[in-house]
Amino acid sequence: MNDVASSDEDPPAPRRHNGPISRRLLAIARTVRSDEPSVGELFDGLESEGLGLTLLLLTIPALLPLPGPFGMVFGTLVAMVALQILFGAERLWLPEPLRRRPVPQRLLRKVIRAGLDWAGFAERGLREDRMAWLTGRRARMLLALPLLLMAVTIILPIPMGNVMPALALIAASIGFMACDGLAVLVSILIAIAAVVWTAVLLYTGAAAAEYAALLLARLAVHLRAMLESVGVDLGFAAGVTTAFAVAAGITALAFWIQALRHRRSRTPADPTQDPLERSRAIARRGRSLVAAASFATAAAAIFIATRFMLTGWI
């Protein structure tokens, strides 16, 4: 690990790896000397910059503009980090079992290589110790409040409500890692815009939900009237719809289970098969399983909604 910068698997040490984030990543590679460093050793090497790195890693998945588990899970984790910053933590606190968990050396090299490639792009507009008063311990404690607000905003199930809070968190995490106060200031401005954007989404979302409920109620009335006009018993139709909903739900569950098993499977590589082609085939199968599971889930939801319309619940 000591020769991370010069090994074949590791990033070449060129021209562009002179920025503050790149230097910290390379410092990790040089200071961690065990074959399998622990998670605690890695974050101890980062010191206070580990807080910014953790914020960055947890916020990127939350960029998906979809409500649901991504925002709830990662927003909660970001809130936990923001609370640590609020109470003046200089290093990221981790549970002891997680601190002792080893990080494979090969994985660490790949992460550092990817991080250096990303940092080379992100550091173009960064400058270390610019407006340093915004990156000190007290400033971070004050800034933890808007960071916590952004995390709570990400948790809220608002369509398209994740993007701007996540951008504010990413700008803040980059500013903390690079000790660039201007990036932190930009994150504050984005956070203000995110609050306004969230308020607009909440207002328009409430109006849209009210309109959708009214439209669905009218659709239910027309559906029941149409079935009755052709002599179809509504109770029988509701029973058939329920059966289809159960079948679609079981099918969706089966596909989701297969998708999870496929993701966790560690089948040995075929020496006669091209590794790149094999990885593409695995990825295609995984996408197909997720697509089938999503389609079956949507079908189950439609059948359930239809059943509610037939029984007068909508």
Side-chain angles (χ1 to χ4, degrees):
M1 188 63 196
N2 195 32
D3 297 323
V4 168
S6 60
S7 66
D8 292 336
E9 298 183 43
D10 300 326
R15 35 185 183 89
R16 59 180 186 181
H17 298 325
N18 298 321
I21 299 176
S22 297
R23 290 201 305 272
R24 284 166 176 80
L25 290 173
L26 290 173
I28 297 173
R30 285 190 289 267
T31 54
V32 176
R33 302 182 183 277
S34 59
D35 289 336
E36 286 194 345
S38 67
V39 174
E41 288 175 333
L42 290 179
F43 281 98
D44 288 346
L46 279 169
E47 297 181 347
S48 61
E49 283 76 16
L51 295 168
L53 176 62
T54 307
L55 276 178
L56 180 65
L57 294 177
L58 294 177
T59 304
I60 288 175
L63 267 173
L64 291 173
L66 297 172
F70 282 104
M72 290 186 221
V73 172
F74 289 101
T76 302
L77 294 175
V78 168
M80 293 171 65
V81 177
L83 284 173
Q84 293 189 42
I85 298 174
L86 179 63
F87 287 103
E90 288 290 343
R91 295 183 181 181
L92 180 70
W93 177 87
L94 295 170
E96 194 58 33
L98 181 57
R99 282 185 59 85
R100 293 196 301 264
R101 191 176 182 86
V103 180
Q105 194 73 270
R106 185 179 181 87
L107 174 62
L108 183 58
R109 288 194 182 105
K110 289 182 178 180
V111 170
I112 291 177
R113 183 185 184 105
L116 286 174
D117 290 339
W118 169 84
F121 171 79
E123 288 170 337
R124 294 177 184 176
L126 296 176
R127 193 170 67 195
E128 196 169 11
D129 296 329
R130 178 171 53 184
M131 300 173 67
W133 54 276
L134 279 173
T135 61
R137 181 171 178 267
R138 291 184 179 178
R140 289 200 305 268
M141 292 172 65
L142 290 175
L143 290 169
L145 290 174
L147 295 182
L148 185 60
L149 178 60
M150 293 299 98
V152 172
T153 305
I154 289 175
I155 294 172
L156 295 176
I158 305 173
M160 298 298 296
N162 293 3
V163 178
M164 291 194 68
L167 290 176
L169 288 166
I170 288 174
S173 62
I174 291 174
F176 290 154
M177 292 173 65
C179 295
D180 188 344
L182 182 59
V184 176
L185 182 60
V186 169
S187 75
I188 297 174
L189 297 177
I190 298 175
I192 294 173
V195 171
V196 176
W197 175 243
T198 302
V200 170
L201 287 178
L202 285 173
Y203 176 78
T204 56
E210 184 179 355
Y211 176 77
L214 180 61
L215 185 64
L216 198 59
R218 289 179 178 175
L219 180 62
V221 171
H222 288 305
L223 177 63
R224 290 194 296 269
M226 182 187 67
L227 292 176
E228 288 176 341
S229 67
V230 295
V232 176
D233 182 68
L234 293 182
F236 174 76
V240 172
T241 307
T242 302
F244 277 114
V246 171
I250 293 173
T251 304
L253 181 61
F255 275 122
W256 283 120
I257 292 174
Q258 287 186 43
L260 289 174
R261 287 180 176 175
H262 176 75
R263 183 166 183 168
R264 294 179 181 177
S265 63
R266 295 291 185 269
T267 54
D270 184 357
T272 63
Q273 187 180 16
D274 179 44
L276 181 59
E277 186 58 34
R278 178 179 177 275
S279 64
R280 287 176 177 173
I282 292 174
R284 282 196 298 269
R285 175 167 170 75
R287 287 194 297 268
S288 299
L289 288 171
V290 171
S294 302
F295 179 79
T297 302
I302 292 173
F303 283 129
I304 291 172
T306 304
R307 200 264 184 198
F308 286 162
M309 287 191 289
L310 291 173
T311 54
W313 288 16
I314 294 179

